[in-house]
Amino acid sequence: MTELLLSKPIVDASLVNLRKRAEILKNNGLIPRLAIILAGQNQASLTYTRNKKLFCEKFGAICDIIQLPETVSGGSFLDAVRTTSRDPLVHGCLIQLPLPEHLKDLELDTLIPAHKDIDGFHPLNMHALMRDAPASTYFCPCTPKGILGLLEFYNINVSGKHVVIIGRSSIVGKPLAMLLTNKNATVTLCHSKTSDLRSIAHGADILISAIGHARLIDQSFFSTKKQPVVVDVGTNFDSDNKLCGDVDFDAVRDLVSAISPVPGGVGPLTILSLAQNLLQAAENNVK
Ligand code: NAD
């Protein structure tokens, strides 16, 4: 029987803990505060940002959305990020991606100080991930952290396993490969130029897809010899405008031992990780 890797039980259990931690901070005179800088009106970004704010409010944190016009100049955008991220009342800060085309070449990596970079993109946070520093000493990128949490919650041990990741973006595939390597998995990181992707996938104990292509991962990615665990990171809309993952869920569910659905799988865990990172950043102020 295929196990469904749902995020809801994880989020529900974690919310209790997040509320407790926020309450302790409040008793120390501090309300965790996230600031999101958003440029333009990208529909998906507006939705993600609203969801982050709603989630913050669920556990007693504040989330400010600094909405800048699509046409904001590079200089004004950088000023807004600097001013916001240096506000002592702000504990965690992030830039909502993607940015409008004319801002894409801006050097952003170190703009938000590492101790407020709860997305985990600052070189110091990336380096800490690379050298496998203790989790409490840096911020791990949210989607990889959420995926690890999902595997841990369902007692899926990655040590010694062959994990095949499809998609090498800087926010998902690459940091995830590092995180899982640190947990003693043997990782193969695949991408659009990988040859013979299917035969690599056939050897996976755990297959993780972060491509951004609706239902591309079909039966041909699975062999009769293995029933891998599948984690679907994709967040896509099909031709009927229905939310779906990279994996053709109905076609493959009987070929795998466990699978995370879309919606209901990885998505909410990214926001949960962000909330955990925000609390970690706020708690660093009272230690
Ligand atoms: P990206 O566009 O930056 O990277 C996509 C990667 O997929 C690239 O490395 C590319 O080489 C690879 N790829 C594309 N087509 C391929 C193919 N046919 N075969 C093999 N590899 C291929 O994407 P991203 O920002 O990492 O996002 C990927 C997907 O994950 C998107 O659907 C995105 O919406 C979703 N996402 C979800 C969450 C979440 O919280 N659930 C978070 C981040 C991204």
Side-chain angles (χ1 to χ4, degrees), residues 32-237:
R33 189 178 205 118
L34 166 65
I36 302 178
I37 293 124
L38 176 64
Q41 296 287 331
N42 178 299
Q43 208 47 50
S45 294
L46 290 170
T47 306
Y48 291 142
T49 309
R50 194 172 52 240
N51 289 344
K52 287 170 186 172
K53 185 176 173 67
L54 286 174
F55 195 79
C56 280
E57 287 164 1
K58 276 190 187 174
F59 67 91
I62 296 170
C63 174
D64 302 320
I65 299 173
I66 292 88
Q67 170 93 56
L68 303 170
E70 181 88 33
T71 52
V72 62
S73 70
S76 302
F77 177 80
L78 293 176
D79 281 348
V81 179
R82 276 194 204 101
T83 307
T84 305
S85 63
R86 275 155 186 71
D87 181 340
L89 291 178
V90 168
H91 307 105
C93 186
L94 66 91
I95 298 165
Q96 185 65 46
L97 301 174
L99 289 173
E101 213 45 53
H102 69 287
L103 300 178
K104 280 189 174 155
D105 290 335
L106 290 176
E107 190 51 64
L108 301 176
D109 286 354
T110 54
L111 205 52
I112 296 172
H115 66 287
K116 295 191 183 185
D117 163 47
I118 60 171
D119 258 341
F121 297 158
H122 190 287
L124 287 177
N125 285 317
M126 282 289 177
H127 184 246
L129 168 63
M130 208 153 149
R131 63 187 170 82
D132 196 14
S136 61
T137 61
Y138 77 101
F139 298 114
C140 182
C142 296
T143 305
K145 177 175 169 145
I147 293 168
L148 193 70
L150 179 79
L151 295 171
E152 281 172 358
F153 182 85
Y154 287 98
N155 292 317
I156 297 163
N157 185 17
V158 301
S159 178
K161 300 285 169 56
H162 181 205
V163 182
V164 174
I165 302 173
I166 312 179
R168 60 173 163 185
S169 72
S170 305
I171 61 167
V172 186
K174 283 180 189 161
L176 180 61
M178 193 55 66
L179 192 61
L180 292 170
T181 302
N182 291 343
K183 300 286 173 195
N184 301 319
T186 302
V187 178
T188 305
L189 183 56
C190 305
H191 46 79
S192 55
K193 303 282 186 260
T194 299
S195 18
D196 212 2
L197 185 58
R198 283 168 181 77
S199 69
I200 296 172
H202 288 175
D205 298 306
I206 300 172
L207 179 72
I208 304 177
S209 181
I211 300 176
H213 192 304
R215 304 193 186 99
L216 182 88
I217 308 297
D218 60 12
Q219 300 97 312
S220 63
F221 284 77
F222 302 92
S223 78
T224 48
K225 294 189 188 128
K226 276 195 175 187
Q227 289 214 311
V229 169
V230 174
V231 177
D232 190 352
V233 187
T235 309
N236 314 300
F237 288 91

Side-chain angles (χ1 to χ4, degrees), residues 255-278:
L255 305 174
V256 304
S257 57
I259 182 166
S260 69
V262 178
V266 173
L269 299 178
T270 297
I271 295 188
L272 175 63
S273 301
L274 187 73
Q276 289 165 334
N277 283 354
L278 174 66

